Amino acid sequence: MRSKIGVLDLQGGVLEHLTHLEALGLEPVAVKKAEQLEDLAGIIFPGGESTCMIRLLRIFELEVPIKEAFSDGMKIWGTCAGAILIANEVVGEKPNLQLMNITVDRNAFGPQIDSFHETAVIPAISDEPLELTFIRAPQITAVEDEVQVLHRTNGIVTAAETENCLATSFHPELSGSTAFHRYFAEKCGVSVKQNSTSISDKAWMQRKR
Ligand code: GLN
């Protein structure tokens, strides 16, 4: 029975996602092994380094089981590097898992030193303004017909979804808002506590593994 939300726990910003899901009253699974995919209604691929993450997915023999779980109904949200992993096309590079009909351009918002925040209302996600953090972020440069654009940053697509995938160039898990995590959980059919909308900034720094 697919009833839980997982976070791929190989590399990158894992704790931040786990903390947000816990704030919603969920018991997320930190996924390192293929058998952990069996219970999952959805999995979050965190930000980090997509080249490193795809190598680890192969070393940990998760690439094929993830594709199988996806075919069996598990939904995927890719944040930043995670969005690069699921994209069908990556500009100038070999694509990775090819689960979402978008094209991404890695590091197209510039190097680490050009990291930035944007505050924006994304109506599909929340009526409240959300703080969006971009760190060596990819741009979503093309979307096919079945893809809904959720947000544009200076005219560039930075959040999009299909029936089974959500992709964000930015990191909602680095803000105190749980709106994106709630949205993804509900997209996966997992119900969350109604009263939790935010957590204290940097709460994940206190979280023990
Ligand atoms: N630039 C990284 C990559 O291409 C993504 C950065 C991030 O996840 N913050 O994988």
Side-chain angles (χ1 to χ4, degrees):
M1 165 69 176
R2 299 192 170 278
S3 59
K4 296 196 164 209
I5 304 291
V7 182
L8 183 66
D9 186 14
L10 300 180
Q11 191 264 333
V14 178
L15 288 185
E16 295 83 340
H17 281 297
L18 292 173
T19 308
H20 279 66
L21 293 166
E22 285 163 355
L24 293 170
L26 302 176
E27 290 177 10
V29 182
V31 176
K32 283 190 198 289
K33 293 184 180 154
E35 55 264 33
Q36 293 172 297
L37 298 168
E38 281 164 24
D39 296 339
L40 300 187
I43 188 168
I44 300 173
F45 290 175
E49 189 59 42
S50 54
T51 40
C52 177
M53 249 186 271
I54 191 67
R55 290 180 71 172
L56 289 170
L57 277 174
R58 288 173 186 147
I59 290 167
F60 281 70
E61 297 180 347
L62 278 165
E63 187 182 13
V64 173
I66 282 175
K67 286 186 169 180
E68 285 170 357
F70 182 74
S71 305
D72 191 42
M74 180 187 74
K75 299 188 194 287
I76 303 184
W77 172 17
T79 49
C80 201
I84 297 165
L85 288 182
I86 62 177
N88 272 13
E89 303 288 340
V90 181
V91 173
E93 292 184 25
K94 209 163 141 304
N96 300 294
L97 300 177
Q98 295 191 288
L99 302 175
M100 185 176 184
N101 217 344
I102 56 173
T103 302
V104 295
D105 190 2
R106 287 181 72 196
N107 304 321
F109 279 108
Q112 194 92 358
I113 200 165
D114 290 331
S115 299
F116 64 99
H117 296 290
E118 180 195 4
T119 304
V121 174
I122 304 180
I125 307 297
S126 172
D127 298 336
E128 302 287 319
L130 301 174
E131 189 173 343
L132 315 177
T133 303
F134 295 77
I135 305 169
R136 284 197 307 128
Q139 297 183 353
I140 300 172
T141 54
V143 297
E144 298 307 322
D145 284 349
E146 74 269 27
V147 180
Q148 278 81 52
V149 172
L150 299 178
H151 185 62
R152 287 187 165 83
T153 302
N154 299 328
I156 294 154
V157 178
T158 52
E161 71 174 343
T162 56
E163 194 187 338
N164 298 316
C165 287
L166 175 63
T168 53
S169 299
F170 47 80
H171 295 269
E173 77 285 6
L174 294 180
S175 76
S177 168
T178 56
F180 257 98
H181 294 78
R182 173 187 297 269
Y183 181 78
F184 181 63
E186 287 170 354
K187 183 178 174 72
C188 298
V190 175
S191 56
V192 300
K193 268 199 284 187
Q194 288 312 305
N195 55 0
S196 166
T197 56
S198 63
I199 59 177
S200 80
D201 230 5
K202 317 281 187 297
W204 50 89
M205 287 185 183
Q206 272 84 54
R207 190 186 183 285
K208 302 238 179 338
R209 289 193 74 95

